[in-house]
Amino acid sequence: MSNLYLIHGDRVAIRPVCANDYDEITALTRDSAELHHPWVPRRDTSREAFDDFIARFAQPTHEGLVVCFRQTGAIVGGVNINNIVRGSMQSGMLGYVAYASTAGRGYMSEGLRLVVQFAFTELGLHRLEANIQPTNAASLNLVKRLGFRREGYSPVFQRINGVWRDHERWALTADMLSAGPHEWTA
Ligand SMILES: CC(C)(COP(=O)(O)OP(=O)(O)OC[C@H]1O[C@@H](n2cnc3c(N)ncnc32)[C@H](O)[C@@H]1OP(=O)(O)O)[C@@H](O)C(=O)NCCC(=O)NCCS
């Protein structure tokens, strides 16, 4: 088990993404083109673009994490907490992907649950937001399973692969976790 893990569950763990992940993530991303389109912007798979991606997480406003099999360390997903706002907001915006060969088995539910725990404890955040296209059933299922609340609808919210797409805004706040029953059934 890697000592880079920030926190682990039964099957998966999370750790910061790093420059050495380039080959593994690039291969996984190429294999997952169909799964990822049209839900997330197509990723430039060049080494330079990956280095830029990693550099983003040197800023306090962004956290880049990978979800790994706890025992082998193989990467099964990625979660970014983007646009972290401190002060009176303490909020961040989530971006996440599973990879095709391991999707649909509950690993992302477990991994995103760990990210939520990490964000609300270690990072001290109060609110995590996820913006999801209304027809992205897998992503909607994921946030519902973790107890997120639908807050609203944002027309033409994000340009993904050339098209401005509407998104639903979902969020989880720390008080919702302490308030009572929620589905932590990753
Ligand atoms: C959204 C996305 C990350 C969800 O990933 P996922 O692989 O479906 O998530 P999980 O690993 O938690 O798998 C959940 C599914 O596994 C099933 N499953 C199987 N075994 C399971 C287990 N032991 N525990 C929990 N769930 C299990 C669940 O029933 C669930 O299926 P359902 O959604 O039909 O109910 C993935 O579909 C993806 O990468 N999509 C493209 C990118 C994207 O949309 N990103 C988000 C943009 S907002």
Side-chain angles (χ1 to χ4, degrees):
M1 195 164 81
S2 168
N3 60 6
L4 297 174
Y5 293 156
L6 299 164
I7 178 171
H8 67 78
D10 289 342
R11 300 187 296 170
V12 303
I14 57 169
R15 66 164 172 80
V17 65
C18 67
N20 291 342
D21 294 325
Y22 173 70
D23 289 343
E24 188 175 359
I25 289 180
T26 300
L28 290 167
T29 301
R30 287 189 176 134
D31 284 350
S32 307
E34 205 174 319
L35 173 69
H36 292 173
H37 181 85
W39 311 121
V40 287
R42 195 169 293 115
R43 180 176 276 179
D44 177 343
T45 53
S46 69
R47 176 85 229 191
E48 295 69 28
F50 193 77
D51 289 343
D52 288 347
F53 172 71
I54 296 296
R56 191 204 296 175
F57 304 118
Q59 306 169 74
T61 46
H62 292 77
E63 293 284 334
L65 305 164
V66 286
V67 181
C68 309
F69 280 134
R70 183 179 166 190
Q71 297 302 338
T72 66
I75 295 172
V76 296
V79 182
N80 300 332
I81 309 174
N82 295 313
N83 306 332
I84 294 172
V85 180
R86 293 296 188 175
S88 62
M89 304 296 290
Q90 302 296 343
S91 70
M93 291 176 76
L94 290 171
Y96 45 82
V97 291
Y99 294 112
S101 58
T102 48
R105 295 175 205 180
Y107 300 133
M108 285 304 289
S109 299
E110 188 177 329
L112 192 58
R113 173 178 175 246
L114 296 173
V115 171
V116 167
Q117 285 178 353
F118 176 70
F120 287 162
T121 54
E122 298 303 314
L123 298 181
L125 294 182
H126 166 74
R127 180 174 184 277
L128 287 169
E129 178 176 318
N131 290 282
I132 304 171
Q133 293 176 57
T135 50
N136 190 349
S139 186
L140 291 170
N141 285 344
L142 180 60
V143 297
K144 285 178 193 167
R145 203 174 291 124
L146 266 67
F148 281 59
R149 169 168 61 198
R150 187 183 185 279
E151 291 186 337
Y153 189 86
S154 307
V156 289
F157 176 77
Q158 188 181 10
R159 191 162 192 251
I160 298 180
N161 303 330
V163 182
W164 285 100
R165 298 183 190 271
D166 298 354
H167 283 65
E168 294 183 11
R169 190 177 67 249
W170 289 74
L172 185 68
T173 49
D175 55 292
M176 289 166 69
L177 293 191
S178 49
H182 50 78
E183 294 183 35
W184 284 106
T185 52

